[in-house]
Amino acid sequence: MELSATAKVILGMLAMRPRSGYEIKAFADHSTRFFWTASYGQIYPELRRLSDAGLIEGKQTPQGGRKRTMYRLTGEGRRELRRWLDVEPEVFELRDEALLKLFFAGAKPDAARKAIDARRAHHEEMLRRLAEVEPLAEAAPDRFPYMVLRCGVDYSESIIRWCDEALAELDREDAA
Amino acid sequence: MELSATAKVILGMLAMRPRSGYEIKAFADHSTRFFWTASYGQIYPELRRLSDAGLIEGKQTPQGGRKRTMYRLTGEGRRELRRWLDVEPEVFELRDEALLKLFFAGAKPDAARKAIDARRAHHEEMLRRLAEVEPLAEAAPDRFPYMVLRCGVDYSESIIRWCDEALAELDREDAA
DNA sequence: CGGCTCATGTAATTCGTTACATGATTCT
DNA sequence: AGAATCATGTAACGAATTACATGAGCCG
């Protein structure tokens, strides 16, 4: 069985604990979203498909008059998740508009600085968000999410360093 | 005018020099593809659209009996490119399946090492490809593509370092 | 002659976001 | 009362890949 991108997040998150679609989205927004996004438009239809395929099952758990469906992994769902985890990862994609603009900055050299500044600012913002969730991730018994978080910190910090060096280089070139 | 992702690469590349659709694709595969991809299925229809919009123009330049259309920027196309370059970049996307697997590795801890290994191998491969094109980029009069290339080298090297540290950490935990 | 590169395109399908629609509950 | 949050879903659109189709020229 071929898992869609969204199916992978859903199975992984339900392996940690049962969740509603809303909770899956909320958790993704604070964790995987730095390297793997998911939107409602994908999550809800996918929950339906995974349920039909028998990998997860939903249970009505209304809170007061507010209806809610909590999903949990089935045995087959857990097996499927493990099978996927065991396969060599293949998706490594980056899309960075600042680098694209810098690449083409020959057509408008004064745009180079702006592109680098924006890239720097983006990763500063990322560091801020990561710092927010760090205490929670550190306290959790599962060490893997915390490892990934530190990878994100490392990643953004190294990009910020590169941005600073690049800006300094532009300064030197302008001076010359 | 709102430029599509592919329109941005096309305009940028044609600003450097006139090219055929085939050449745009070939050049993208050796340069921008690390942070911005483009496929035939997008390039050819987009060349048509940009041509209809008056931002580029094509000219038949057959090589022997092999037909070919070379495109170049129009004045309006160059203006549009500059306008885009001048706007704050907004797209910063990463999709990394190895990090996703590591994040969920609690469900199958022995998969963690494999995910990190694959991530490391991917970036080793990237370094190899970057090293291949480096001499060309360094020799070019336009400094910006070379800056971006060195950014890619920096990026992959920093990821490889993180992978090594992460693997060492897993070793320590296993020993304990 | 066979395989590779040059060259252009389309069709089918999938992927994914965004916006919209709805409505209850909880907090201030 | 009004805003924010919890909660579920669909529709329209756009983005992008993949596979397919076609054919000429070039190198060994």
Side-chain angles (χ1 to χ4, degrees):
Chain A
M1 195 197 173
E2 199 59 32
L3 299 176
S4 74
T6 305
K8 293 166 188 176
V9 207
I10 291 176
L11 294 184
M13 289 199 172
L14 296 186
M16 296 170 166
R17 65 171 179 76
R19 287 180 158 94
S20 66
Y22 183 82
E23 285 175 312
I24 289 171
K25 170 67 172 154
F27 184 45
D29 283 346
H30 290 93
S31 56
T32 66
R33 75 113 152 215
F34 302 106
F35 53 91
W36 206 270
T37 59
S39 65
Y40 286 130
Q42 297 284 105
I43 290 170
Y44 285 109
E46 191 62 38
L47 284 169
R48 173 66 55 96
R49 276 191 290 273
L50 291 172
S51 186
D52 289 348
L55 302 185
I56 64 176
E57 43 181 38
K59 194 177 154 193
Q60 297 307 317
T61 57
Q63 290 286 296
R66 187 192 273 166
K67 74 172 175 172
R68 189 180 57 168
T69 310
M70 291 292 267
Y71 292 90
R72 63 174 194 78
L73 278 192
T74 62
E76 186 47 33
R78 191 168 294 269
R79 254 190 306 281
E80 192 60 42
L81 173 66
R82 292 225 187 88
R83 248 193 305 274
W84 167 70
L85 284 172
D86 219 36
V87 173
E88 182 110 333
E90 287 178 343
V91 183
F92 296 94
E93 286 164 22
L94 179 64
R95 181 152 275 210
D96 186 319
E97 201 181 15
L99 291 184
L100 191 69
K101 291 193 179 189
L102 186 59
F103 190 87
F104 294 133
K108 191 166 194 308
D110 58 299
R113 219 170 237 100
K114 197 183 282 189
I116 299 172
D117 283 341
R119 189 164 194 252
R120 197 185 188 288
H122 174 79
H123 286 280
E124 286 277 12
E125 173 63 21
M126 225 163 111
L127 282 181
R128 218 169 311 127
R129 287 174 198 273
L130 290 171
E132 264 175 39
V133 293
E134 215 223 290
L136 238 89
E138 195 178 2
D142 183 349
R143 303 279 64 205
F144 294 112
Y146 184 56
M147 268 184 89
V148 174
L149 182 141
R150 279 178 301 137
C151 167
V153 171
D154 223 69
Y155 171 75
S156 284
E157 281 176 350
S158 103
I159 288 174
I160 289 171
R161 269 196 306 278
W162 177 86
C163 289
D164 288 337
E165 283 163 33
L167 288 168
E169 190 178 326
L170 289 182
D171 287 342
R172 276 197 305 280
E173 277 176 23
D174 284 358
Chain B
M1 192 194 176
E2 200 59 35
L3 298 176
S4 74
T6 306
K8 293 166 188 177
V9 207
I10 292 177
L11 294 184
M13 289 198 172
L14 296 185
M16 294 170 168
R17 65 171 179 78
R19 287 181 159 93
S20 66
Y22 184 83
E23 286 176 311
I24 289 170
K25 169 67 172 155
F27 185 46
D29 283 345
H30 290 94
S31 57
T32 66
R33 76 111 152 218
F34 302 106
F35 51 91
W36 205 270
T37 60
S39 65
Y40 285 129
Q42 298 283 106
I43 290 170
Y44 286 109
E46 191 63 37
L47 283 170
R48 175 66 55 98
R49 276 191 291 272
L50 291 172
S51 187
D52 290 347
L55 301 185
I56 64 176
E57 44 183 38
K59 194 178 153 194
Q60 297 306 317
T61 56
Q63 290 288 294
R66 188 192 272 166
K67 73 171 177 174
R68 189 179 56 168
T69 311
M70 291 291 269
Y71 292 91
R72 63 172 195 79
L73 277 192
T74 62
E76 186 48 33
R78 192 166 294 269
R79 254 191 306 281
E80 191 60 43
L81 173 65
R82 292 225 188 86
R83 249 194 304 274
W84 167 69
L85 284 171
D86 219 37
V87 173
E88 182 109 335
E90 287 179 340
V91 183
F92 297 94
E93 286 164 23
L94 178 65
R95 181 154 277 209
D96 186 318
E97 202 182 13
L99 291 184
L100 191 68
K101 290 192 179 191
L102 186 59
F103 190 86
F104 294 133
K108 192 167 192 306
D110 57 299
R113 218 169 239 102
K114 196 182 285 189
I116 299 172
D117 283 340
R119 189 163 193 253
R120 197 186 189 288
H122 174 78
H123 286 280
E124 286 278 11
E125 174 62 22
M126 225 163 112
L127 281 181
R128 217 170 311 132
R129 288 176 197 273
L130 290 171
E132 264 175 41
V133 293
E134 214 223 291
L136 238 89
E138 197 178 2
D142 183 350
R143 305 278 62 204
F144 294 113
Y146 184 56
M147 267 185 91
V148 174
L149 182 141
R150 279 177 301 138
C151 166
V153 170
D154 222 69
Y155 171 76
S156 283
E157 281 177 350
S158 104
I159 287 172
I160 289 170
R161 269 197 305 278
W162 177 85
C163 289
D164 288 337
E165 282 163 34
L167 288 167
E169 189 178 327
L170 289 182
D171 287 343
R172 277 197 303 281
E173 278 177 21
D174 285 357

